[in-house]
Amino acid sequence: MNMLKCSIAAVVALGSMTVSGFAQDVSLRLHQMLPPQATIPAKALKPWAEKVMQESGGRIKIDQFDAMALGGTPPSLYDQAKDGAVDIIWTVIGYTPGRFPTTEAFELPFLMTTGEATSKALQEYCEKHCMEEFADVKVIAWHAHGPGLIHSKTPVNTLEDMKGLKIRGGSRTINQMLEKLGSIPVGMPVPAVSEALSKGVIDATTIPWEVTPSLKVSELVSNHTTFSGTNGLYTQTFVVAMNKSAYDAMPDDLKKVIDDNSGIETAAFFGRVMDEGDIGGKAIAEGRNNNIIVLDEAETQRWKDTAAPLVEAWEAEMTGKGKDGKALVEEARSLVEKYSTGM
C-alpha cells in the first residue's frame, strides 16, 4: 500500500513537472550601475528587456535594478553575473583592469568612430578573439560608446593645457593614454564623477556626451574639448552578460528568445542609443553656453602622435602574452572602418 502511494505521488510529481516545464516562467534580475534616467538604462536596457519579455509571450520576466540597488560596486557587476548573485548585468569591461585584455584594442586612442559602427566592429572582433576571456558567462552583447572627449573646469585648447590636470579615466588603457598626454589620471567608476568634480578631487573627466546629463557634468564644468576628423579620442567597451546557469536552465524556446536578442544587432542597438544620447548631452552644454572646443587638424595630429607609443606598447604587451598584438590592432581598425563606411 505504501509502495502504491509512493508510485502515485511520483506520477503526480512527474505530471506537475511536465506541466510546469511546458509553461515554465523565468524571472531574471538585471543589475547595473547608472541611475534609471541615464541613457543606457532608460533607452537601451529597458527596451531590450521589454522586447525579450514580449517575444517570450510573457514567460520571461525581467526586473531591472538600477544604480547598484542590489548591492556591491560597479567593478563587482561582472562577478555578480558570473557567480549567480544576479542574472544579467551591464557593465564597463575596463572596471576590472587586465582581466579582459583582448578587448582593450578598442580603447586605444583615435581608433573608434561612432558608437554604432564601433559596437558592430567590437562584437565581430570579440566573437572571434574574446570568447575564452568571457567563457564563464553567456554574453548577450559587447558594445562601445560614442566619441570620448574631455570635460574640464579650465579650457583645454592645446596639448600643453593637459599638463598636471587631474582627469578621471574609466579604464587601464584610458588612464595610460591620459598619462601619455601629460595629465594625472584618476581611475574611478562613472557614478563617482559628479562628486569628484564638485569636491575638486579631479579637474576634468573623460566621458562621452550621452552620460553628461545624468551626472550633471555640464553644470559642474564649462569646457568640453573635442577633436577633428572621424576618429574619437577614445571609447570604452561594455558587456551585457547573463549568468550561464540561469541561461542553461531555461527551456530551448526561451533560450532562443535570449539568443535572438543577442549578437551584432543588439550591439548595434546599444551603440546607436549612445550615439543618440550624445546629441542630447551636447545640446545641454550648448544651451548653457558652455565652451565647446574643437581642436583643428594640426593640433589633433599632435595628440595622435603623442599617444601613438601607447598603441605600440599595448601591441608588445599582448605579444608577450602569446597573442599577435599588432594583428589585433590592425583587425580592430579594419573592422571599425568596415562598419563606419557601411560595407
Side-chain angles (χ1 to χ4, degrees), residues 281-316:
K282 184 179 180 183
I284 290 172
E286 290 172 335
R288 295 181 62 84
N289 293 317
N290 283 9
N291 182 27
I292 299 176
I293 302 159
V294 182
L295 301 186
D296 63 23
E297 289 184 15
E299 182 63 24
T300 297
Q301 189 61 50
R302 292 183 67 215
W303 289 58
K304 289 181 179 180
D305 293 342
T306 303
L310 174 60
V311 179
E312 297 164 7
W314 187 85
E315 291 174 351

Side-chain angles (χ1 to χ4, degrees), residues 171-187:
S171 74
R172 181 182 82 111
T173 307
I174 294 165
N175 285 337
Q176 289 171 343
M177 175 192 71
L178 292 171
E179 189 170 16
K180 283 284 183 192
L181 295 172
S183 70
I184 301 167
V186 181

Side-chain angles (χ1 to χ4, degrees), residues 25-53:
D25 291 333
V26 175
S27 182
L28 303 172
R29 293 160 301 157
L30 192 165
H31 198 205
Q32 63 86 34
M33 72 194 82
L34 293 177
Q37 72 273 19
T39 301
I40 283 293
K43 297 185 178 178
L45 289 171
K46 185 178 179 181
W48 177 85
E50 288 173 346
K51 186 169 182 284
V52 168
M53 289 189 285

Side-chain angles (χ1 to χ4, degrees), residues 73-80 91-101 103-104 107 133-134 170-173 189 236-237 239:
T73 61
S76 71
L77 281 165
Y78 182 86
D79 281 331
Q80 288 184 6
T91 193
V92 176
I93 295 172
Y95 283 176
T96 46
R99 187 170 182 178
F100 309 101
T103 64
E104 292 175 345
E107 296 181 355
E133 291 176 6
F134 292 85
S171 74
R172 181 182 82 111
T173 307
Q236 285 206 261
T237 57
V239 66

Side-chain angles (χ1 to χ4, degrees), residues 4 18 38-39 53 62 71-72 104 113 128 147 178 185 198 200 203 206 221 228 233 245 283 299 303 311:
L4 178 61
T18 304
T39 301
M53 289 189 285
I62 299 177
E104 292 175 345
T113 54
K128 181 178 178 181
L178 292 171
S198 64
D203 306 307
T206 52
V221 306
S228 296
L233 174 62
S245 296
E299 182 63 24
W303 289 58
V311 179

